Amino acid sequence: MSQAFNHRHLYYFWVVAKEGSMSRAAETLDMAVQTVSAQVRELERDLGCQLLRPAGRGLALTEAGTVAMQQAEQIFQLSQALPEQVLAAAQAPAARLAVGIADGLPKLEVQRLLQPVLGVPHLRLVCDDGEMADLLADLVLHKLDVVLTDHPAPPNAQLRVHSHSLGASDIGWYGSEKWWTLAHQGFPLSMRDVPMLLPTSHSVVRGQLDRWLHQKGLRPKVVGEIEDSALLETFGSTGLGVFPAAMDIAEALQKRSQVRLIGACDGVQEHYYAISTERKVMHPLVQQMLRPASAR
């Protein structure tokens, strides 16, 4: 048996099976009966079995022919739908946005910052997270349209990039029900009685948190220093300790991780930036992301 078969032969067989005879199929195809018959015999030779048998004045499917007909139906139905689907895709091109997300930027904040574009029709969103230096290199090479981060791009004469403010969020303390019960009453002095999870010194907000704790006269019981904000949230949600996070995402955070807001870190804020290669952003989706911040 041949390892492949001619799809044109399969098409002729399909028409014959639908029409029920060689003569009616030949009329439909506008071909000679002998030509159609020869094409079907070629298919049978390729497949190594008989597909049609005489039945009265017409033809009927053999058992193998029934299987071949079922497969042919699927193939040619898909073929008939192909032009319409391709044309629809061509007439509605995707709006593509490639975003770099700096390590440590809370994922709930990323979702909030991208919210202005998430409803754009035919959006194709490509997200890549990693080290700031790698993301900026990809931005300069136009592999990314924008980089989201919690600090402006560092000064570098070789990297012509521009930082655009996306606003800021106040920081608050969150904890599981157990720690919320202990810390909510008498906040912030009550924070000395609960275990605390903090971001590492690599985080921009860590220095502000240390100053806040010092100003409040608190010597925290630090049980963990965690760089990744998602991991910080995960450990906090399991009750390992209270942890800091943006207050802009309080509702989403409380629903997702079953934690409660204990109190605000007055004066402590996390800032957000969109970094592009243009001082005046031209990408329409990046412009849409920046619009809420410029309206404030």
Side-chain angles (χ1 to χ4, degrees):
M1 186 178 93
S2 171
Q3 294 300 308
F5 62 89
N6 190 310
H7 280 73
R8 186 174 70 246
H9 297 164
L10 180 65
Y11 178 71
Y12 294 147
F13 159 74
W14 180 60
V15 175
V16 171
K18 287 171 72 71
E19 295 293 342
S21 76
M22 288 289 179
S23 58
R24 284 198 295 272
E27 287 180 21
T28 300
L29 294 167
D30 194 21
M31 297 172 66
V33 172
Q34 295 83 353
T35 302
V36 176
S37 178
Q39 302 292 324
V40 173
R41 286 198 300 274
E42 284 287 336
L43 177 65
E44 290 177 325
R45 274 195 291 270
D46 284 342
L47 295 178
C49 56
Q50 184 180 359
L51 302 177
L52 296 165
R53 59 177 175 78
R57 295 185 178 182
L59 295 167
L61 292 167
T62 65
E63 189 172 341
T66 299
V67 174
M69 182 61 176
Q70 290 170 347
Q71 298 300 311
E73 282 283 357
Q74 294 183 43
I75 291 169
F76 294 118
Q77 282 177 10
L78 289 171
S79 297
Q80 289 171 350
L82 179 65
E84 182 180 344
Q85 292 179 3
V86 170
L87 181 61
Q91 291 175 342
R96 187 177 186 277
L97 180 63
V99 182
I101 301 165
D103 281 344
L105 193 62
K107 300 307 181 282
L108 283 174
E109 277 294 352
V110 173
Q111 182 182 6
R112 184 182 68 82
L113 295 173
L114 290 173
Q115 198 63 43
V117 301
L118 294 182
V120 171
H122 312 295
L123 174 66
R124 184 185 174 194
L125 182 64
V126 180
C127 291
D128 183 18
D129 62 350
E131 296 288 340
M132 183 74 158
D134 296 334
L135 295 176
L136 291 180
D138 285 344
L139 179 68
V140 171
L141 293 173
H142 303 290
K143 295 180 181 179
L144 297 172
D145 298 310
V146 67
V147 171
L148 299 181
T149 178
D150 59 356
H151 59 278
N156 187 329
Q158 295 179 335
L159 289 177
R160 295 184 178 179
V161 296
H162 303 276
S163 302
H164 310 273
S165 174
L166 290 172
S169 174
D170 294 330
I171 297 297
W173 292 100
Y174 296 82
S176 61
E177 189 69 30
K178 171 185 175 182
W179 300 127
W180 180 89
T181 302
L182 287 174
H184 184 64
Q185 291 286 339
F187 179 85
L189 292 180
S190 56
M191 294 290 284
R192 64 191 172 199
D193 301 322
V194 296
M196 190 174 291
L197 297 165
L198 290 172
T200 65
S201 57
H202 292 96
S203 170
V204 175
V205 80
R206 174 59 187 270
Q208 297 182 61
L209 290 168
D210 287 342
R211 286 191 293 274
W212 184 87
L213 291 167
H214 178 73
Q215 290 167 2
K216 302 299 181 184
L218 296 172
R219 298 182 65 183
K221 299 176 183 177
V222 179
V223 295
E225 295 182 77
I226 303 168
E227 184 171 0
D228 183 80
S229 60
L231 195 56
L232 187 72
E233 176 192 334
T234 299
F235 282 131
S237 68
T238 60
L240 186 60
V242 301
F243 64 99
M247 293 182 66
D248 278 358
I249 57 171
E251 185 177 350
L253 186 59
Q254 291 173 117
K255 285 181 180 178
R256 186 172 80 176
S257 296
Q258 301 298 303
V259 294
R260 298 182 68 178
L261 176 63
I262 297 168
C265 272
D266 47 292
V268 179
Q269 286 190 322
E270 189 165 50
H271 293 261
Y272 310 108
Y273 297 88
I275 302 176
S276 73
T277 55
E278 306 159 321
R279 187 179 298 277
K280 183 177 181 180
V281 174
M282 301 303 294
H283 195 298
L285 294 180
V286 180
Q287 288 179 344
Q288 201 161 325
M289 284 173 53
L290 293 171
R291 204 166 291 140
S294 62
R296 292 191 184 106

